[in-house]
Amino acid sequence: MPLANKRPGGRILPARRLIPQVEPQQQFDKIALAINEIYKHNVSQLSFEEYYRTAYNLVLSKNGPLLYNGVRTVLETHMRESVEHSILQRAQTADSNPTTENNEAFLFSVRLLWSEHVTAMLMIKDILMYVDNIYVKAAHLPSIYEMGMCVFRDTVLLSSTGSGGLGTRVAKAVLRQISGERNGEEINRSTLQGISNMLVELHDTASPIRTVYEVVLEPQLLAESRVYYRDMTALRIKTMGASEYARAVQADLDAEADRVQAYLALTTADLLRSVLQDELVTAYAPDILTIPNDGLTQMLDRRDIPALRVLYSIYSPLPQPLSVLRSGVLNHILVLGGQITESLLATDPGETKSGSTPQPKPEIAPEASLGLAAKTAMALRWVQDVLGLYDVYDEFFHKSFSEGPSMRSAINDAFIEVINANSRAPELLSLFMDDNLKNGLRSKAEQDVDHLLERSVLMFRFLKNKDAFEHYYKAHLARRLLFARSESDDAEHSLVSKLKVECGSQFTLKLEGMFKDMQLSMDMARDLRASSEYSDIGLDLNVSVLTPTFWPAMAPAQQPSSQATAENSTAARSDDPTSVILPSGVLSDSVDVFSAYYLKHHSGRRLTWQYAMGNADLKVQFGTRTHELNVTTYQMIVLLLFVDDSNSSSEKPLTAAKIQQLTHIPKEPLARQLQSLACGKYRILNKTPKSRDVKPTDSFAFNMDFRSPQYRIRIPVVSARSNIETEKEKAASQAVIGQERLYLIEAAIVRIMKTRKQIPHDILVNETISQLAPRFLPSSKMIKDGIGKLLDREYLQRSPDDPRLYIYLA
């Protein structure tokens, strides 16, 4: 008998194992029973290996569809039964009597069913793992777990039961719970968190990329929140002030953010916050800031930094409300700045705001010098008040406005307008710096000095007419340097360095040249004292030799304050010598000696003596008493006229005209010098008649009866130049500044034409404005005049083909 399993080659194969034939339905019923037991929590009585093998055999015997669809049917049946027995009644109760407890009971039952279903599906997925790996992949079906989630979604949430789908009723119950919590009720947040997680995990049937949460709950949540906060805002805006309202809004934003974090989907955070911002802030942004008696103005006035911080935090994320807040802050600064400027203008009715028409004003008489000094004090106060106002808003910027760039822009724009609304702003700022550098740095710490300089430069940064400031600052710096009035050389150099950072080296070139001249003059004085020529000088002479291109044209009648022990004159290289006549004797001889010494060491140069800027210390005998007088060089020349040949004081009177004839001092400064000597606090001369006006026929004589308890006396000059300018002086300064601007405009045009060679008129005007904007804003007319002068001087020519096209002529 032949062997059945023997191959021709002689190899014997193992006998086949025959699988007992079992009906597929019986096998599935076994798995269905196991599923029901899992839902009944009888897992300990099941053998997962046995049910895995059963599912394996069903797939292997090509009964995968029977198994897959059968499992789905079992799950659907269980879900429907669970809804009917444990959920539907609670849902109906919650609908008919929507108390917090009924809502909680309904939602808790749904959450419990969901958690049990998820747990069961994890076990069922393990039993049917072979089905997922083989049949589901081949048939391109959802996995067993995904199918279970779909069954829950379709059977529990989206099926129509009673008055509607259970999902809609779940969403309404959630919204009722949220509404209750907003109104102060206590709710079970963990239940709501479970419901939200359930809805997030389930995907919509129509759009699988969207979750049931996004379809069923989120739109209703946003809509109801919008209505709730819209009604809330309408009530609050009538009963709350701006600060209280801002805190309430911030509390609402924080509460909703906490609510999302606790039991809603994180994707809801931005959407819900946007709803609140629209209803609580954007819709009422202007109204909030203008609430009577407690709006933005009141918050700024009382410097309520915490309230402003909250207000900014709710306005800053929104462009339109932020623009409203920005405008409110800017306008409030303009109002306060306008009040500061108005207080200054009130002291001088002839003064005007920048851009307004000047009113006629009589020339200030010498008797008004005290009034002029008072106006100067008010001018300095204006700068201090403006800087003080800036400090307030700078504190707001750092502590309330979170250093937001939009608020920085608003503050800067406002102060630019406030400062430049005052036509005297460049002069006043220079006066303020001058006053502080002369008197304001005493007993101040280094950090306080630096803060003062920083604030001064900050105000300079806001000036539009920086060239006007340069004009005044050079004059004030010259007086401080020439009369040794500065409190700190380090502060002087530091301020110039800060100005250099702001405007570049070209702006400070002349200022740095002034410092260099003073240093060279000190070196020259040291060399002179070491030379043999110094023995020929009969007094202690100190001379400052100045470069005319660096130093401003100094007006006469300056009152110095120097500690020199003899005569301190100032010389400058210039083309036009002065005509003042020095008294013969030691003074004129000393000037001649110094001139010879200087020209010996600097051949080819020319000295012009500026006696208006000198000062001297004189010992004068009044009867039996002697006083040391600190006077200007002009005052010294006048007093020396009253010394007789025996070097004694003479009481012989001289008229003002005779004094002018003998000294050649210009009439206007001579009148002020005589007023200072005869009509001031210290009356060194007697004047006839007794009046403050000086006429050519007025007579002056030495006052031998002068008495003072002080040994050393400084004679002040009427209308000292450290005061604010009179209208006449201001007009003269504006003329000088205007002429300098014409030079700058022409230079800018030439630079542009050298680069471009030919350029249309409009582009040339725009580029010229762009180049000069850091110093001042030239008008189109000024630029047109500059172009006309350059055409006349043949620097430019018009194109033959286009008269608005300019061509540069090398």
PDB file of all heavy atoms in Angstrom, residues 118-150:
ATOM      1  N   VAL A 118     -15.921  54.537  26.056  1.00  0.00           N
ATOM      2  CA  VAL A 118     -14.508  54.623  25.676  1.00  0.00           C
ATOM      3  C   VAL A 118     -13.723  53.469  26.284  1.00  0.00           C
ATOM      4  O   VAL A 118     -12.899  52.819  25.627  1.00  0.00           O
ATOM      5  CB  VAL A 118     -13.918  55.975  26.112  1.00  0.00           C
ATOM      6  CG1 VAL A 118     -12.404  55.990  25.949  1.00  0.00           C
ATOM      7  CG2 VAL A 118     -14.545  57.111  25.308  1.00  0.00           C
ATOM      8  N   THR A 119     -13.979  53.204  27.568  1.00  0.00           N
ATOM      9  CA  THR A 119     -13.280  52.089  28.225  1.00  0.00           C
ATOM     10  C   THR A 119     -13.594  50.767  27.540  1.00  0.00           C
ATOM     11  O   THR A 119     -12.692  49.936  27.295  1.00  0.00           O
ATOM     12  CB  THR A 119     -13.684  52.026  29.705  1.00  0.00           C
ATOM     13  OG1 THR A 119     -13.401  53.272  30.328  1.00  0.00           O
ATOM     14  CG2 THR A 119     -12.929  50.917  30.421  1.00  0.00           C
ATOM     15  N   ALA A 120     -14.882  50.552  27.222  1.00  0.00           N
ATOM     16  CA  ALA A 120     -15.281  49.315  26.560  1.00  0.00           C
ATOM     17  C   ALA A 120     -14.643  49.204  25.191  1.00  0.00           C
ATOM     18  O   ALA A 120     -14.185  48.118  24.792  1.00  0.00           O
ATOM     19  CB  ALA A 120     -16.802  49.258  26.458  1.00  0.00           C
ATOM     20  N   MET A 121     -14.588  50.287  24.432  1.00  0.00           N
ATOM     21  CA  MET A 121     -14.031  50.228  23.084  1.00  0.00           C
ATOM     22  C   MET A 121     -12.546  49.935  23.100  1.00  0.00           C
ATOM     23  O   MET A 121     -12.015  49.300  22.173  1.00  0.00           O
ATOM     24  CB  MET A 121     -14.297  51.555  22.367  1.00  0.00           C
ATOM     25  CG  MET A 121     -15.749  51.749  21.932  1.00  0.00           C
ATOM     26  SD  MET A 121     -16.412  50.364  20.968  1.00  0.00           S
ATOM     27  CE  MET A 121     -15.243  50.276  19.622  1.00  0.00           C
ATOM     28  N   LEU A 122     -11.868  50.358  24.124  1.00  0.00           N
ATOM     29  CA  LEU A 122     -10.449  50.011  24.216  1.00  0.00           C
ATOM     30  C   LEU A 122     -10.269  48.503  24.368  1.00  0.00           C
ATOM     31  O   LEU A 122      -9.350  47.903  23.785  1.00  0.00           O
ATOM     32  CB  LEU A 122      -9.812  50.763  25.389  1.00  0.00           C
ATOM     33  CG  LEU A 122      -9.698  52.292  25.239  1.00  0.00           C
ATOM     34  CD1 LEU A 122      -9.185  52.918  26.527  1.00  0.00           C
ATOM     35  CD2 LEU A 122      -8.773  52.650  24.077  1.00  0.00           C
ATOM     36  N   MET A 123     -11.141  47.875  25.152  1.00  0.00           N
ATOM     37  CA  MET A 123     -11.067  46.422  25.308  1.00  0.00           C
ATOM     38  C   MET A 123     -11.505  45.717  24.026  1.00  0.00           C
ATOM     39  O   MET A 123     -10.881  44.745  23.591  1.00  0.00           O
ATOM     40  CB  MET A 123     -11.939  45.983  26.473  1.00  0.00           C
ATOM     41  CG  MET A 123     -11.521  46.561  27.815  1.00  0.00           C
ATOM     42  SD  MET A 123     -12.614  46.025  29.149  1.00  0.00           S
ATOM     43  CE  MET A 123     -12.002  46.984  30.496  1.00  0.00           C
ATOM     44  N   ILE A 124     -12.604  46.174  23.431  1.00  0.00           N
ATOM     45  CA  ILE A 124     -13.089  45.549  22.197  1.00  0.00           C
ATOM     46  C   ILE A 124     -12.038  45.688  21.102  1.00  0.00           C
ATOM     47  O   ILE A 124     -11.835  44.765  20.290  1.00  0.00           O
ATOM     48  CB  ILE A 124     -14.417  46.213  21.784  1.00  0.00           C
ATOM     49  CG1 ILE A 124     -15.498  45.931  22.832  1.00  0.00           C
ATOM     50  CG2 ILE A 124     -14.860  45.746  20.416  1.00  0.00           C
ATOM     51  CD1 ILE A 124     -16.771  46.717  22.640  1.00  0.00           C
ATOM     52  N   LYS A 125     -11.376  46.803  21.074  1.00  0.00           N
ATOM     53  CA  LYS A 125     -10.321  46.997  20.072  1.00  0.00           C
ATOM     54  C   LYS A 125      -9.219  45.969  20.240  1.00  0.00           C
ATOM     55  O   LYS A 125      -8.678  45.447  19.244  1.00  0.00           O
ATOM     56  CB  LYS A 125      -9.746  48.413  20.213  1.00  0.00           C
ATOM     57  CG  LYS A 125      -8.622  48.733  19.257  1.00  0.00           C
ATOM     58  CD  LYS A 125      -7.945  50.030  19.604  1.00  0.00           C
ATOM     59  CE  LYS A 125      -7.160  49.883  20.901  1.00  0.00           C
ATOM     60  NZ  LYS A 125      -6.298  51.055  21.181  1.00  0.00           N
ATOM     61  N   ASP A 126      -8.879  45.647  21.486  1.00  0.00           N
ATOM     62  CA  ASP A 126      -7.831  44.645  21.717  1.00  0.00           C
ATOM     63  C   ASP A 126      -8.290  43.259  21.252  1.00  0.00           C
ATOM     64  O   ASP A 126      -7.512  42.487  20.670  1.00  0.00           O
ATOM     65  CB  ASP A 126      -7.466  44.615  23.203  1.00  0.00           C
ATOM     66  CG  ASP A 126      -6.753  45.890  23.631  1.00  0.00           C
ATOM     67  OD1 ASP A 126      -6.233  46.600  22.741  1.00  0.00           O
ATOM     68  OD2 ASP A 126      -6.740  46.193  24.839  1.00  0.00           O
ATOM     69  N   ILE A 127      -9.565  42.898  21.541  1.00  0.00           N
ATOM     70  CA  ILE A 127     -10.082  41.597  21.121  1.00  0.00           C
ATOM     71  C   ILE A 127     -10.075  41.475  19.600  1.00  0.00           C
ATOM     72  O   ILE A 127      -9.738  40.426  19.033  1.00  0.00           O
ATOM     73  CB  ILE A 127     -11.510  41.389  21.679  1.00  0.00           C
ATOM     74  CG1 ILE A 127     -11.468  41.275  23.209  1.00  0.00           C
ATOM     75  CG2 ILE A 127     -12.163  40.157  21.062  1.00  0.00           C
ATOM     76  CD1 ILE A 127     -12.832  41.208  23.841  1.00  0.00           C
ATOM     77  N   LEU A 128     -10.428  42.570  18.920  1.00  0.00           N
ATOM     78  CA  LEU A 128     -10.565  42.536  17.467  1.00  0.00           C
ATOM     79  C   LEU A 128      -9.351  43.129  16.763  1.00  0.00           C
ATOM     80  O   LEU A 128      -9.460  43.696  15.672  1.00  0.00           O
ATOM     81  CB  LEU A 128     -11.831  43.302  17.071  1.00  0.00           C
ATOM     82  CG  LEU A 128     -13.142  42.807  17.705  1.00  0.00           C
ATOM     83  CD1 LEU A 128     -14.311  43.656  17.255  1.00  0.00           C
ATOM     84  CD2 LEU A 128     -13.386  41.346  17.371  1.00  0.00           C
ATOM     85  N   MET A 129      -8.214  43.026  17.380  1.00  0.00           N
ATOM     86  CA  MET A 129      -7.003  43.595  16.814  1.00  0.00           C
ATOM     87  C   MET A 129      -6.696  43.005  15.436  1.00  0.00           C
ATOM     88  O   MET A 129      -6.288  43.705  14.512  1.00  0.00           O
ATOM     89  CB  MET A 129      -5.815  43.366  17.765  1.00  0.00           C
ATOM     90  CG  MET A 129      -4.540  44.050  17.324  1.00  0.00           C
ATOM     91  SD  MET A 129      -3.188  43.697  18.447  1.00  0.00           S
ATOM     92  CE  MET A 129      -3.845  44.364  19.972  1.00  0.00           C
ATOM     93  N   TYR A 130      -6.926  41.653  15.300  1.00  0.00           N
ATOM     94  CA  TYR A 130      -6.637  41.016  14.018  1.00  0.00           C
ATOM     95  C   TYR A 130      -7.576  41.530  12.940  1.00  0.00           C
ATOM     96  O   TYR A 130      -7.186  41.667  11.777  1.00  0.00           O
ATOM     97  CB  TYR A 130      -6.774  39.493  14.167  1.00  0.00           C
ATOM     98  CG  TYR A 130      -6.296  38.750  12.932  1.00  0.00           C
ATOM     99  CD1 TYR A 130      -4.950  38.590  12.673  1.00  0.00           C
ATOM    100  CD2 TYR A 130      -7.212  38.214  12.017  1.00  0.00           C
ATOM    101  CE1 TYR A 130      -4.509  37.921  11.541  1.00  0.00           C
ATOM    102  CE2 TYR A 130      -6.789  37.544  10.882  1.00  0.00           C
ATOM    103  CZ  TYR A 130      -5.428  37.400  10.643  1.00  0.00           C
ATOM    104  OH  TYR A 130      -5.004  36.743   9.521  1.00  0.00           O
ATOM    105  N   VAL A 131      -8.811  41.858  13.342  1.00  0.00           N
ATOM    106  CA  VAL A 131      -9.760  42.426  12.384  1.00  0.00           C
ATOM    107  C   VAL A 131      -9.250  43.764  11.864  1.00  0.00           C
ATOM    108  O   VAL A 131      -9.321  44.066  10.667  1.00  0.00           O
ATOM    109  CB  VAL A 131     -11.142  42.583  13.052  1.00  0.00           C
ATOM    110  CG1 VAL A 131     -12.161  43.146  12.068  1.00  0.00           C
ATOM    111  CG2 VAL A 131     -11.612  41.268  13.619  1.00  0.00           C
ATOM    112  N   ASP A 132      -8.747  44.626  12.758  1.00  0.00           N
ATOM    113  CA  ASP A 132      -8.199  45.919  12.346  1.00  0.00           C
ATOM    114  C   ASP A 132      -7.022  45.750  11.399  1.00  0.00           C
ATOM    115  O   ASP A 132      -6.910  46.443  10.375  1.00  0.00           O
ATOM    116  CB  ASP A 132      -7.753  46.724  13.580  1.00  0.00           C
ATOM    117  CG  ASP A 132      -8.901  47.502  14.209  1.00  0.00           C
ATOM    118  OD1 ASP A 132      -9.902  47.713  13.525  1.00  0.00           O
ATOM    119  OD2 ASP A 132      -8.786  47.900  15.387  1.00  0.00           O
ATOM    120  N   ASN A 133      -6.130  44.826  11.758  1.00  0.00           N
ATOM    121  CA  ASN A 133      -4.893  44.687  10.995  1.00  0.00           C
ATOM    122  C   ASN A 133      -5.112  44.077   9.618  1.00  0.00           C
ATOM    123  O   ASN A 133      -4.363  44.387   8.682  1.00  0.00           O
ATOM    124  CB  ASN A 133      -3.887  43.853  11.776  1.00  0.00           C
ATOM    125  CG  ASN A 133      -3.427  44.561  13.039  1.00  0.00           C
ATOM    126  OD1 ASN A 133      -3.494  45.792  13.124  1.00  0.00           O
ATOM    127  ND2 ASN A 133      -2.977  43.794  14.030  1.00  0.00           N
ATOM    128  N   ILE A 134      -6.098  43.194   9.466  1.00  0.00           N
ATOM    129  CA  ILE A 134      -6.264  42.475   8.204  1.00  0.00           C
ATOM    130  C   ILE A 134      -7.498  42.949   7.437  1.00  0.00           C
ATOM    131  O   ILE A 134      -7.389  43.551   6.370  1.00  0.00           O
ATOM    132  CB  ILE A 134      -6.356  40.951   8.444  1.00  0.00           C
ATOM    133  CG1 ILE A 134      -5.105  40.469   9.199  1.00  0.00           C
ATOM    134  CG2 ILE A 134      -6.514  40.213   7.120  1.00  0.00           C
ATOM    135  CD1 ILE A 134      -3.805  40.719   8.478  1.00  0.00           C
ATOM    136  N   TYR A 135      -8.651  42.708   8.001  1.00  0.00           N
ATOM    137  CA  TYR A 135      -9.873  42.994   7.250  1.00  0.00           C
ATOM    138  C   TYR A 135     -10.120  44.482   7.064  1.00  0.00           C
ATOM    139  O   TYR A 135     -10.428  44.948   5.969  1.00  0.00           O
ATOM    140  CB  TYR A 135     -11.080  42.347   7.956  1.00  0.00           C
ATOM    141  CG  TYR A 135     -12.392  42.776   7.357  1.00  0.00           C
ATOM    142  CD1 TYR A 135     -12.795  42.303   6.104  1.00  0.00           C
ATOM    143  CD2 TYR A 135     -13.225  43.695   8.012  1.00  0.00           C
ATOM    144  CE1 TYR A 135     -13.997  42.725   5.535  1.00  0.00           C
ATOM    145  CE2 TYR A 135     -14.415  44.115   7.457  1.00  0.00           C
ATOM    146  CZ  TYR A 135     -14.795  43.629   6.220  1.00  0.00           C
ATOM    147  OH  TYR A 135     -15.969  44.049   5.650  1.00  0.00           O
ATOM    148  N   VAL A 136     -10.004  45.282   8.145  1.00  0.00           N
ATOM    149  CA  VAL A 136     -10.310  46.714   8.075  1.00  0.00           C
ATOM    150  C   VAL A 136      -9.388  47.414   7.092  1.00  0.00           C
ATOM    151  O   VAL A 136      -9.816  48.253   6.281  1.00  0.00           O
ATOM    152  CB  VAL A 136     -10.235  47.346   9.474  1.00  0.00           C
ATOM    153  CG1 VAL A 136     -10.296  48.868   9.386  1.00  0.00           C
ATOM    154  CG2 VAL A 136     -11.348  46.827  10.353  1.00  0.00           C
ATOM    155  N   LYS A 137      -8.119  47.081   7.115  1.00  0.00           N
ATOM    156  CA  LYS A 137      -7.169  47.712   6.193  1.00  0.00           C
ATOM    157  C   LYS A 137      -7.472  47.346   4.753  1.00  0.00           C
ATOM    158  O   LYS A 137      -7.451  48.194   3.854  1.00  0.00           O
ATOM    159  CB  LYS A 137      -5.749  47.309   6.553  1.00  0.00           C
ATOM    160  CG  LYS A 137      -5.210  47.984   7.791  1.00  0.00           C
ATOM    161  CD  LYS A 137      -3.751  47.625   8.014  1.00  0.00           C
ATOM    162  CE  LYS A 137      -3.189  48.344   9.245  1.00  0.00           C
ATOM    163  NZ  LYS A 137      -1.762  48.009   9.473  1.00  0.00           N
ATOM    164  N   ALA A 138      -7.781  46.075   4.553  1.00  0.00           N
ATOM    165  CA  ALA A 138      -8.061  45.641   3.180  1.00  0.00           C
ATOM    166  C   ALA A 138      -9.348  46.259   2.662  1.00  0.00           C
ATOM    167  O   ALA A 138      -9.465  46.600   1.471  1.00  0.00           O
ATOM    168  CB  ALA A 138      -8.133  44.118   3.134  1.00  0.00           C
ATOM    169  N   ALA A 139     -10.345  46.446   3.521  1.00  0.00           N
ATOM    170  CA  ALA A 139     -11.642  46.977   3.098  1.00  0.00           C
ATOM    171  C   ALA A 139     -11.707  48.498   3.169  1.00  0.00           C
ATOM    172  O   ALA A 139     -12.736  49.092   2.807  1.00  0.00           O
ATOM    173  CB  ALA A 139     -12.732  46.376   3.978  1.00  0.00           C
ATOM    174  N   HIS A 140     -10.630  49.150   3.665  1.00  0.00           N
ATOM    175  CA  HIS A 140     -10.564  50.613   3.777  1.00  0.00           C
ATOM    176  C   HIS A 140     -11.727  51.147   4.613  1.00  0.00           C
ATOM    177  O   HIS A 140     -12.422  52.087   4.218  1.00  0.00           O
ATOM    178  CB  HIS A 140     -10.557  51.260   2.390  1.00  0.00           C
ATOM    179  CG  HIS A 140      -9.455  50.794   1.499  1.00  0.00           C
ATOM    180  ND1 HIS A 140      -8.130  51.116   1.700  1.00  0.00           N
ATOM    181  CD2 HIS A 140      -9.476  49.976   0.396  1.00  0.00           C
ATOM    182  CE1 HIS A 140      -7.374  50.552   0.770  1.00  0.00           C
ATOM    183  NE2 HIS A 140      -8.173  49.839  -0.036  1.00  0.00           N
ATOM    184  N   LEU A 141     -11.912  50.522   5.758  1.00  0.00           N
ATOM    185  CA  LEU A 141     -12.965  50.910   6.677  1.00  0.00           C
ATOM    186  C   LEU A 141     -12.362  51.588   7.901  1.00  0.00           C
ATOM    187  O   LEU A 141     -11.177  51.413   8.200  1.00  0.00           O
ATOM    188  CB  LEU A 141     -13.776  49.688   7.110  1.00  0.00           C
ATOM    189  CG  LEU A 141     -14.556  48.964   6.002  1.00  0.00           C
ATOM    190  CD1 LEU A 141     -15.117  47.650   6.553  1.00  0.00           C
ATOM    191  CD2 LEU A 141     -15.672  49.847   5.454  1.00  0.00           C
ATOM    192  N   PRO A 142     -13.179  52.351   8.656  1.00  0.00           N
ATOM    193  CA  PRO A 142     -12.666  52.895   9.935  1.00  0.00           C
ATOM    194  C   PRO A 142     -12.292  51.751  10.871  1.00  0.00           C
ATOM    195  O   PRO A 142     -12.895  50.679  10.848  1.00  0.00           O
ATOM    196  CB  PRO A 142     -13.844  53.696  10.471  1.00  0.00           C
ATOM    197  CG  PRO A 142     -14.703  53.986   9.290  1.00  0.00           C
ATOM    198  CD  PRO A 142     -14.542  52.808   8.370  1.00  0.00           C
ATOM    199  N   SER A 143     -11.298  52.011  11.707  1.00  0.00           N
ATOM    200  CA  SER A 143     -10.898  50.997  12.671  1.00  0.00           C
ATOM    201  C   SER A 143     -12.046  50.705  13.627  1.00  0.00           C
ATOM    202  O   SER A 143     -13.033  51.447  13.688  1.00  0.00           O
ATOM    203  CB  SER A 143      -9.671  51.477  13.446  1.00  0.00           C
ATOM    204  OG  SER A 143     -10.018  52.580  14.266  1.00  0.00           O
ATOM    205  N   ILE A 144     -11.899  49.601  14.369  1.00  0.00           N
ATOM    206  CA  ILE A 144     -12.956  49.232  15.306  1.00  0.00           C
ATOM    207  C   ILE A 144     -13.198  50.349  16.313  1.00  0.00           C
ATOM    208  O   ILE A 144     -14.353  50.690  16.619  1.00  0.00           O
ATOM    209  CB  ILE A 144     -12.580  47.920  16.036  1.00  0.00           C
ATOM    210  CG1 ILE A 144     -12.500  46.757  15.044  1.00  0.00           C
ATOM    211  CG2 ILE A 144     -13.569  47.624  17.149  1.00  0.00           C
ATOM    212  CD1 ILE A 144     -13.829  46.417  14.392  1.00  0.00           C
ATOM    213  N   TYR A 145     -12.141  50.985  16.821  1.00  0.00           N
ATOM    214  CA  TYR A 145     -12.302  52.061  17.799  1.00  0.00           C
ATOM    215  C   TYR A 145     -12.985  53.266  17.162  1.00  0.00           C
ATOM    216  O   TYR A 145     -13.896  53.859  17.739  1.00  0.00           O
ATOM    217  CB  TYR A 145     -10.934  52.468  18.362  1.00  0.00           C
ATOM    218  CG  TYR A 145     -11.025  53.512  19.437  1.00  0.00           C
ATOM    219  CD1 TYR A 145     -11.290  53.156  20.756  1.00  0.00           C
ATOM    220  CD2 TYR A 145     -10.863  54.866  19.139  1.00  0.00           C
ATOM    221  CE1 TYR A 145     -11.393  54.126  21.755  1.00  0.00           C
ATOM    222  CE2 TYR A 145     -10.960  55.835  20.117  1.00  0.00           C
ATOM    223  CZ  TYR A 145     -11.234  55.448  21.426  1.00  0.00           C
ATOM    224  OH  TYR A 145     -11.342  56.405  22.394  1.00  0.00           O
ATOM    225  N   GLU A 146     -12.539  53.641  15.947  1.00  0.00           N
ATOM    226  CA  GLU A 146     -13.155  54.777  15.261  1.00  0.00           C
ATOM    227  C   GLU A 146     -14.617  54.503  14.952  1.00  0.00           C
ATOM    228  O   GLU A 146     -15.472  55.390  15.073  1.00  0.00           O
ATOM    229  CB  GLU A 146     -12.386  55.081  13.979  1.00  0.00           C
ATOM    230  CG  GLU A 146     -10.977  55.624  14.215  1.00  0.00           C
ATOM    231  CD  GLU A 146     -10.190  55.738  12.926  1.00  0.00           C
ATOM    232  OE1 GLU A 146     -10.693  55.239  11.889  1.00  0.00           O
ATOM    233  OE2 GLU A 146      -9.087  56.301  12.956  1.00  0.00           O
ATOM    234  N   MET A 147     -14.913  53.263  14.554  1.00  0.00           N
ATOM    235  CA  MET A 147     -16.296  52.906  14.292  1.00  0.00           C
ATOM    236  C   MET A 147     -17.130  53.018  15.556  1.00  0.00           C
ATOM    237  O   MET A 147     -18.279  53.476  15.531  1.00  0.00           O
ATOM    238  CB  MET A 147     -16.362  51.486  13.732  1.00  0.00           C
ATOM    239  CG  MET A 147     -17.763  50.985  13.423  1.00  0.00           C
ATOM    240  SD  MET A 147     -18.406  49.984  14.791  1.00  0.00           S
ATOM    241  CE  MET A 147     -17.415  48.519  14.617  1.00  0.00           C
ATOM    242  N   GLY A 148     -16.555  52.634  16.696  1.00  0.00           N
ATOM    243  CA  GLY A 148     -17.266  52.755  17.965  1.00  0.00           C
ATOM    244  C   GLY A 148     -17.548  54.198  18.316  1.00  0.00           C
ATOM    245  O   GLY A 148     -18.625  54.535  18.839  1.00  0.00           O
ATOM    246  N   MET A 149     -16.586  55.101  18.017  1.00  0.00           N
ATOM    247  CA  MET A 149     -16.819  56.513  18.264  1.00  0.00           C
ATOM    248  C   MET A 149     -17.938  57.053  17.368  1.00  0.00           C
ATOM    249  O   MET A 149     -18.773  57.847  17.798  1.00  0.00           O
ATOM    250  CB  MET A 149     -15.534  57.315  18.019  1.00  0.00           C
ATOM    251  CG  MET A 149     -14.369  56.942  18.938  1.00  0.00           C
ATOM    252  SD  MET A 149     -14.702  57.217  20.692  1.00  0.00           S
ATOM    253  CE  MET A 149     -14.981  55.512  21.231  1.00  0.00           C
ATOM    254  N   CYS A 150     -17.944  56.626  16.114  1.00  0.00           N
ATOM    255  CA  CYS A 150     -19.002  57.048  15.194  1.00  0.00           C
ATOM    256  C   CYS A 150     -20.372  56.545  15.663  1.00  0.00           C
ATOM    257  O   CYS A 150     -21.383  57.257  15.534  1.00  0.00           O
ATOM    258  CB  CYS A 150     -18.700  56.536  13.790  1.00  0.00           C
ATOM    259  SG  CYS A 150     -17.240  57.285  13.027  1.00  0.00           S
TER     260      CYS A 150
END
